[in-house]
Amino acid sequence: MNGKKILASLFLLACTLVSTSAQPKYDFTKLQREQLGRGVVAVRQNQSETCLTWRYLSTDPMETSFNIYRNGSKVATVPAGEATMWVDKQGGSQATNYEVRPVVNGMETHKTDGKFTLPANAEVGYLNIPLQKPADGKTPSGQTYTYSANDASIGDVDGDGEYEIILKWDPSNAHDNAHDGYTGNVYFDCYRLTGERLWRIDLGRNIRAGAHYTQFMVFDLDGDNRAEVVMKTSDGTVDGLGKVIGDANADWREHGDTVGQYRRMKEMEARMKEAQNNPQAQGNNQRRNRGFRMPTPQNQGRILTGNEYLTVFSGATGEALCTIDYVPERGELRNWGDTKANRSDRYLACVAYLDGVRPSVVMCRGYYTRTVLAAFDWDGKQLKQRWVFDSNDEGNKPYAGQGNHNLRVGDVDGDGCDEIIYGSMAVDNTGKGLYTTRMGHGDAMHLIGFFPDSDKLQVWDCHENRRDGSTFRDAATGRVIFQVKSGEDVGRCMAADIDPTSWGVEMWSLATGGIRNVKGELINSNPGRISCNMAVWWDGDLSRELLDGNRISKYNWESKQCEELATLEGVRNNGSKSNPCLHADITGDWREEVLLRTQDNSALRLYVSTIPTEYRFHTFLEDPVYRISIATQNVAYNQPTQQGFYFGTDLKKGIFRGFEIKK
């Protein structure tokens, strides 16, 4: 048996030893996944102590202990069964080299050793990752714009088992097609955790800047242990080696219809003339014209025509490896619901194990009206279309207008292959519609195992139609388990196990009247300031914490209120949604890190929890549902990471992800 088969068999065995819950039916002996390294990271706790954390892998036997080395000398052994973290009480301000080595039966195996160098005078509580901010720009209409570090993703681009960061730079004039106006170019950078920049991609002037247009998937698609980056491109996109895609001189931006602008100007002049001999009208007019700005010409900056491409980039160099025509094509705008590209230019994307073996990339277009998903396979040389799902096709009409500003992926029907939960509908791994609830569009959605005694996945969704409110449904069939109707547009909802006195995962939305359990029962009608934005595993117990902007809070089940755990010295990232650049199990133990930008966009800060924990679990990165939830976190309206199994305070006695729970 070769090394890969041994690894897969060990992981499969680890999964079968779970007495409390089971994952969807992936065949881990066949599933192509990342070859993860040890993920060692060191963060200063204070002026004299440094916290070291690392990954516990499914290939590590449960009896594995770990030797810790500082500057080449062994300083500690962390026994088997204890958390994969250690505090160096002699850590000072000097640069320090740490190494972690697994030990089995008293012998260092040197299987997946890990190293990390803590820089001199390192900051307390986080890693500082310097950035190279793009230069300010000016639109053809004379508007000046600046850049901010926005969404990020992770991928092992060089095959060393550790992640690099792929970061999107958004201009200050980014907006969706509900608004006219030019936007600046969008840039993508790849950084090591040290701040070394590997490449920069310029999407060019023919890709509009905004959350709905620049979806980017980072994943190892061809199994060479090096991640690729896949995204929509156009004429004038410049890859990481400086090569231009398509026509470098093409400009597909609309320059705008000035008729409406002229009419507004004449209306203002008429009001001013009317007010000349009327003091009351003068006052009214002054108030009306206070802060008046000439309107943006109609359709200015919109991209209504022109070439659209799909490009696979090398994660290591940013080189464009393959470019094809984007599917689905734009075609006639009115076929999507309007003539301003506000319906046609709504993009989503994901990665999915559609055949149960290799990951495919799925590019999507539309969700308010016509809805199209196109799946592709990358073999290292070519992008091959696997299937296309189109709501315009025969039998698919009920699937139109059911998409969210996000999507979820997982094996929901137990066939070992991934399905795509696309808002109020689901598409099977074969490209056929699985079901549609006909409850329409929403802004947020969660796919996890809500029940501790079940291996099935469920969906918690909220809706904008001012009718259906929030719904809890079976992910495989669409059957509604319970519903909280509302006459309001329910914009956000959250699902997380936060209350140890309530069985299973709790859920709430802006219109549920408080926190509800898996039966739909109201368990707290007045939870106070409780976030509906993001969630994070932070403090080391089995319940989940909540993340809102730069604030981490924890639900106190006794007081039934949220209490602040930490305020991270970064800034909010995604405006009204208050999302970070990324949160995920990026490095270290099974808990999650939070990636934020500094106020001046000169650096990213990777915040790492240094709170002691009694648990050590195989990293959630080895769970396909969780790993893909990281890849799709940047899609439109960001959603928190979620796993393909139940995890929380109701885990029962037994072995769970390589750890013995004794209660």
Side-chain angles (χ1 to χ4, degrees), residues 138 223 239 319 321 373 385 398 405 426 478 577 590:
K138 183 178 289 186
D239 75 2
E319 178 186 7
L321 302 176
L373 292 77
Q385 185 175 295
H405 283 307
K577 305 300 185 292
W590 60 273

Side-chain angles (χ1 to χ4, degrees), residues 203-220:
L203 285 188
R205 61 192 173 196
N206 294 310
I207 296 291
R208 196 165 170 83
H212 303 296
Y213 317 120
T214 50
Q215 324 302 339
F216 60 107
M217 291 295 102
V218 183
F219 218 81
D220 177 16

